[in-house]
Amino acid sequence: MNQQIDHIVRSASVAAHHPNAIQILADELGQDFAHVFLYVSPSADFDNVVHLAQSAFKTDRIVACTTAGEIMSGYTEDQIVAVGLPNAHFSTKTILINDVTSVNATDLIGDMIRARTELTDANPTFSHEVAFLIVDGLSLFEDQLVSKISSGLGPVPLFGGSAGDGTRFEKTFVSFNGTSHQNAAVLTFIRSDCVIETFSLDHLSASSEKMVVTRADPARRIVHEINAEPAAREYARILGKDPNQLSEFTFASNPLVVRVGGRHHVRAIQQVTKDNDLVFFSAIDEGLVLTLADAEDMETHLEREFSKIADQGSLDCMLICDCILRRLEAAQGQKTIALSNIMAKNRAIGFNTYGEQFGAMHVNQTMTGVAIYRPENKV
């Protein structure tokens, strides 16, 4: 599916199993790109996709990841989505972090500063910049990685997402220039003459229902006990539900939040184990106070927030990282089509994630992204 018209950022999608998928994407996007991003359904052969992309797009700056769903004219699945940033308006530098579990913060920050300096020197007329981070969504190290990266960003805003594997939670991959990696991350600095504004939004607020994590395994993001009771059973009791019927739809519709830095952030549940433990998508620890969240209507919220973003100038597109739990909640609430229409109207392109990165935070159940405006019409 081609979405070019007069847009600056180019995009296209194709069925993941199409025998000529990558060549079709390359033909639709065209050439002469500073960077290409590929969001790849886990139903595709990821290694083959990233290998073929090297020659098809004729660029050595290709970043790819597996997804928990793709976004192109709204929610879609079993697709490969391609986004091209043209040389006329963008320049990039990419850093591959081979192993997020053993990052040397000093070396990484040095690489980041050099990348930013080289971009600035090479593109003095490109005054807008952003950093885009894609992390292996099963690495369990997003929180630590974002914390290390934050001190090397300087004034550059950061957004990003964790690679997914549908709702299977088995294997996730990231790639830079044709090689697949696990337990890895890819950080891309982008400079442009287009105005760039990052955003992070959610439709949740804290209720009065609180609970305390009384036993946990923070390294594995597992909570064993809440309020000194088996975690899954206590969570179900608070919801008034059968603990044997907890599912990803329950977690999507009944998220938990914590208060950090004066505001609430979601601590989303990934799954329940056979031992009645709860596995979370982000950092968790003993003594943490969790609050059950109240949700605003997703359609009303997204329409309002996207309208605010679109009103800021001549919007070319949004590149978004949207949590898998938002997608599941939309499906359960029969909001998938409505949300898809809002995303399509605002040309939001991206993928569903196992978590999102924004500034110095790894968060859940948010839509995090960047709005890209035409250079001449920012208001």
Side-chain angles (χ1 to χ4, degrees), residues 73-324:
S73 294
Y75 289 132
T76 185
E77 58 185 339
D78 292 327
Q79 298 281 303
I80 302 171
V81 172
V83 176
L85 306 180
N87 279 307
H89 294 279
F90 295 90
S91 184
T92 67
K93 286 282 186 180
T94 297
I95 298 170
L96 173 66
I97 302 167
N98 279 299
D99 185 356
V100 297
T101 66
S102 59
V103 173
N104 183 307
T106 302
D107 290 345
L108 176 58
I109 291 169
D111 290 342
M112 292 169 61
I113 293 172
R114 280 189 292 274
R116 289 169 46 207
T117 301
E118 290 171 6
L119 269 183
T120 302
D121 292 345
N123 305 277
T125 62
F126 288 2
S127 57
H128 304 282
E129 57 187 342
V130 70
F132 184 13
L133 178 66
I134 299 178
V135 191
D136 180 340
L138 294 179
S139 67
L140 305 183
F141 267 78
E142 296 102 320
D143 302 275
Q144 297 94 319
L145 179 63
V146 174
S147 178
K148 292 176 180 178
I149 284 174
S150 62
S151 58
L153 289 171
V156 182
L158 178 138
F159 80 103
S162 301
D165 179 32
T167 56
R168 291 182 289 273
F169 305 107
E170 295 174 354
K171 294 186 296 183
T172 52
F173 296 94
V174 300
S175 172
F176 177 51
N177 287 349
T179 304
S180 301
H181 301 273
Q182 292 181 290
N183 288 318
V186 184
L187 176 65
T188 302
F189 287 98
I190 302 170
R191 287 188 70 90
S192 179
D193 63 349
C194 296
V195 176
I196 297 173
E197 299 285 354
T198 56
F199 63 89
S200 183
L201 57 90
D202 67 72
H203 60 298
L204 304 169
S205 60
S207 74
S208 60
E209 186 69 61
K210 300 183 184 298
M211 59 201 82
V212 179
V213 176
T214 48
R215 191 163 68 91
D217 181 348
R220 295 190 295 156
R221 297 177 179 168
I222 295 175
V223 172
H224 301 295
E225 291 183 358
I226 292 174
N227 298 338
E229 298 289 342
R233 292 189 177 277
E234 180 66 0
Y235 172 72
R237 183 194 67 78
I238 290 170
L239 298 181
K241 296 184 178 295
D242 181 344
N244 296 313
Q245 299 301 314
L246 294 179
S247 70
E248 63 265 26
F249 293 104
T250 311
F251 307 142
S253 300
N254 301 276
L256 302 170
V257 297
V258 298
R259 191 168 181 82
V260 180
R263 58 172 295 188
H264 284 92
H265 300 274
V266 179
R267 286 294 181 264
I269 301 169
Q270 181 190 109
Q271 57 187 302
V272 59
T273 72
K274 59 181 176 58
D275 297 320
N276 288 305
D277 298 331
L278 294 175
V279 183
F280 282 71
F281 275 108
S282 55
I284 208 79
D285 205 349
E286 291 181 1
L288 197 65
V289 177
L290 301 171
T291 304
L292 197 63
D294 288 329
E296 183 183 351
D297 177 76
M298 294 185 79
E299 180 183 356
T300 302
H301 178 267
L302 190 64
E303 181 68 60
R304 182 181 68 245
E305 295 302 314
F306 271 18
S307 293
K308 292 178 185 177
I309 293 170
D311 287 346
Q312 294 302 303
S314 180
L315 182 65
D316 184 75
C317 73
M318 300 179 190
L319 303 183
I320 63 172
C321 302
D322 187 49
C323 186
I324 179 61

Side-chain angles (χ1 to χ4, degrees), residues 1-4 7 9-13 25 28-29 33 72 81-84 347 349:
M1 179 179 179
N2 198 326
Q3 281 198 353
Q4 309 317 329
H7 295 302
V9 176
R10 313 280 285 182
S11 62
S13 66
L25 290 175
E28 290 193 1
L29 254 66
F33 290 115
M72 178 81 168
V81 172
V83 176
R347 197 169 179 245
I349 309 157

